[in-house]
Amino acid sequence: MRQRLKEKLSTNVPSEMLRQIYNSFDIVGDIAIIKTLSLDNVNAEKVANQIMAIHKGVKTVFAQTSPVIGDYRVRTLSLLGGEDRTETRCKERGCVFSVDLAKCYFSPRLLFERSRLAGVVKKGEIVVNMFAGVGCFSIIIAKTACPTQVYSIDINPEAVKYMEENVKLNRVYGKVTPLLGDSKEIVAAKLRWKADRVLMPLPEKALEYLPDALSALKEGGGWIHFYAFQHAVGNEDPIGKTKQKVAAKLDSLSASYSFGVSRIVRSTGPNWYQTVLDIKVGPLPSKF
Ligand SMILES: C[S@@+](CC[C@H](N)C(=O)[O-])C[C@H]1O[C@@H](n2cnc3c(N)ncnc32)[C@H](O)[C@@H]1O
């Protein structure tokens, strides 16, 4: 389908712009988002119409006009064609997610990670998701693994509103508990020593919040899934560099740990990578 669209667009879109579109094109439910910033109005309409002609399910096409920014990790969108709305529903791993793409974070590019984590959660576990968004990781885990409870925290009231709707849509009431607020404060107030596993899918804050993740784990320890953005050039290893940073922090907290699966999730720009480390934490010092 992408090849067909490429052929159609190549007749009226300059090749440099075509390359940009293809490096930055996502479909979420019935909305397509192009991350290029330089579409002029004439080309924009053509591009939008041709995307909708080829992808019959797409009813709306937006350009992303800012990076993902702020505490809520949202982006600004500018309508290129189709219906003027930013709310949609999409399916992933047998779950359905309702989301407003202008008010909440959502990335279809984390599909593999969400499935991977659902595959490592064991029956009966208690999971804390410190940066849950509209609940994708939490709900996929609740539906496909067999945890006792997933505490699912987000600081964005809109994200928590959609998370609550998604809990209903996927019938995981009682299994996924949406919690609105700063995960540092919520962990301190309600979730100390509760979790077998903590998810930290917010690379910008994961290092700062690592002590809070430790304090959410049961006294005997557990697993932390730590996401980072890592710069690496030439022969530098993005995973090795992330490990060094995390090891320095864990050593300063006197935690015992070992690294499990570590991988590059995706490339996020020239010489920049999103990485993930699965960290097995041993019994915790009493200060936690
Ligand atoms: C990169 S998104 C991850 C969303 C989700 N895990 C997903 O895969 O769709 C990070 C989320 O963390 C939330 N967030 C940012 N700071 C936070 C904090 N201090 N406490 C709780 N949530 C926070 C944002 O609102 C955003 O929804």
Side-chain angles (χ1 to χ4, degrees), residues 31-34 60-64 77-80 84-86:
I31 297 180
I33 298 177
I34 301 168
T60 303
V61 182
F62 284 99
Q64 178 171 328
L77 297 173
S78 159
L79 185 68
L80 299 182
D84 189 4
R85 63 174 163 81
T86 49

Side-chain angles (χ1 to χ4, degrees), residues 141-160:
I141 286 171
K143 281 279 259 198
T144 60
C146 230
T148 297
Q149 187 67 231
V150 184
Y151 295 101
S152 194
I153 309 169
D154 204 280
I155 201 168
N156 176 357
E158 285 291 333
V160 173

Side-chain angles (χ1 to χ4, degrees), residues 15 22 27 34 43 49 70 90 201 239 261 287:
S15 61
Y22 274 88
I27 294 178
I34 301 168
N43 278 325
N49 287 336
C90 64
I239 302 285
V261 169
K287 66 181 173 182

Side-chain angles (χ1 to χ4, degrees), residues 39 96 108 123 142 194:
L39 291 168
V96 53
K123 190 170 181 219
K194 280 241 179 347

Side-chain angles (χ1 to χ4, degrees), residues 11-250:
T11 54
N12 47 33
V13 174
S15 61
E16 175 53 22
M17 190 173 288
L18 198 61
R19 200 177 58 77
Q20 276 185 38
I21 291 170
Y22 274 88
N23 286 339
S24 64
F25 174 48
D26 277 336
I27 294 178
V28 181
D30 59 2
I31 297 180
I33 298 177
I34 301 168
K35 290 191 198 151
T36 180
L37 304 180
S38 58
L39 291 168
D40 64 55
N41 289 338
V42 179
N43 278 325
E45 215 184 314
K46 277 186 192 153
V47 168
N49 287 336
Q50 288 188 335
I51 287 175
M52 288 187 286
I54 301 258
H55 295 267
K56 298 286 183 210
V58 171
K59 303 288 180 235
T60 303
V61 182
F62 284 99
Q64 178 171 328
T65 49
S66 79
V68 170
I69 46 170
D71 274 352
Y72 297 170
R73 312 308 299 148
V74 290
R75 54 197 154 188
T76 47
L77 297 173
S78 159
L79 185 68
L80 299 182
E83 299 167 17
D84 189 4
R85 63 174 163 81
T86 49
E87 189 177 59
T88 189
R89 278 189 185 182
C90 64
K91 289 193 179 147
E92 200 178 296
R93 285 291 310 266
C95 300
V96 53
F97 296 108
S98 181
V99 61
D100 189 323
L101 297 168
K103 295 179 181 164
C104 311
Y105 179 89
F106 186 90
S107 174
R109 296 180 187 214
L110 294 174
L111 170 67
F112 180 84
E113 267 308 293
R114 298 197 263 256
S115 294
R116 187 182 76 81
L117 288 203
V120 300
V121 172
K122 295 186 186 64
K123 190 170 181 219
E125 282 190 3
I126 293 182
V127 178
V128 171
N129 184 352
M130 291 178 76
F131 308 109
V134 299
C136 303
F137 275 96
S138 306
I139 290 169
I140 291 175
I141 286 171
K143 281 279 259 198
T144 60
C146 230
T148 297
Q149 187 67 231
V150 184
Y151 295 101
S152 194
I153 309 169
D154 204 280
I155 201 168
N156 176 357
E158 285 291 333
V160 173
K161 189 186 98 185
Y162 282 97
M163 198 195 309
E164 285 165 353
E165 184 181 340
N166 292 330
V167 164
K168 284 188 199 138
L169 283 171
N170 294 286
R171 298 193 179 87
V172 285
Y173 331 86
K175 279 247 163 182
V176 175
T177 305
L179 296 164
L180 172 62
D182 182 341
S183 53
K184 196 185 274 287
E185 289 168 15
I186 291 182
V187 165
K190 300 183 182 171
L191 299 176
R192 282 186 79 190
W193 307 314
K194 280 241 179 347
D196 298 289
R197 191 176 296 274
V198 177
L199 277 51
M200 307 190 79
L202 177 56
E204 294 82 356
K205 284 195 184 154
L207 201 61
E208 179 193 340
Y209 279 55
L210 197 49
D212 309 288
L214 290 176
S215 71
L217 286 176
K218 288 179 176 167
E219 284 165 289
W223 284 92
I224 293 178
H225 301 281
F226 181 98
Y227 291 83
F229 287 136
Q230 186 61 59
H231 189 250
V233 285
N235 287 336
E236 285 182 330
D237 168 22
I239 302 285
K241 286 185 85 177
T242 313
K243 280 185 178 168
Q244 267 177 18
K245 228 167 32 187
V246 171
K249 183 82 173 185
L250 289 171

Side-chain angles (χ1 to χ4, degrees), residues 1-10 22 54-55:
M1 240 184 213
R2 286 199 174 222
Q3 190 52 35
R4 247 176 85 204
L5 181 59
K6 208 168 191 171
E7 283 161 17
K8 283 219 164 200
L9 289 177
S10 62
Y22 274 88
I54 301 258
H55 295 267

